[in-house]
Amino acid sequence: MAKWLQSGRRRDICVLLAAAEDGELTGQRLKTRLESRYDTRIDPKSFYGALGAMEDAGFLTQRTDGIADKYSLTEAGEARLRDQFEWMRESLDEA
């Protein structure tokens, strides 16, 4: 498994994108949902750095829609997320 999913934030971003109704979310909406989930503020530089790294690695795509950047999982990103989910499910079943 690549190190990209060792970050909880990156995993959570993938989960939110996989669950998005149309398969994509704006960066701001992703950040707001994570902040709401964990009831804490996320540093924008750190957050958008994670998005950029995931895009550079080929796990996310970004497109501009008006003034907003929208992100979605690539096939590789979805495959890694599903592998992670399967590992978690198997680990919990063993517990």
Side-chain angles (χ1 to χ4, degrees):
M1 175 74 49
K3 289 184 176 185
W4 76 280
L5 267 183
Q6 289 180 357
S7 161
R9 180 175 295 163
R10 292 179 187 191
R11 281 191 302 265
D12 293 347
I13 287 169
C14 291
V15 169
L16 289 172
L17 288 172
E21 188 173 305
D22 60 358
E24 65 180 5
L25 291 169
T26 65
Q28 184 59 48
R29 178 140 314 172
L30 278 168
K31 185 175 176 294
T32 300
R33 287 184 180 182
L34 284 176
E35 289 173 333
S36 178
R37 169 74 175 125
Y38 293 108
D39 194 27
T40 190
R41 182 184 174 280
I42 298 172
D43 175 62
K45 188 174 184 177
S46 172
F47 176 75
Y48 286 100
L51 289 179
M54 293 172 71
E55 185 179 1
D56 291 346
F59 300 117
L60 296 183
T61 59
Q62 177 266 327
R63 72 177 183 88
T64 303
D65 183 18
I67 63 169
D69 291 334
K70 291 191 172 184
Y71 295 87
S72 59
L73 286 174
T74 62
E75 286 182 24
E78 185 171 344
R80 290 289 176 92
L81 178 61
R82 293 197 179 281
D83 287 346
Q84 179 74 19
F85 176 77
E86 184 62 27
W87 173 77
M88 291 171 71
R89 191 171 56 80
E90 288 172 0
S91 295
L92 290 171
D93 286 347
E94 292 173 6

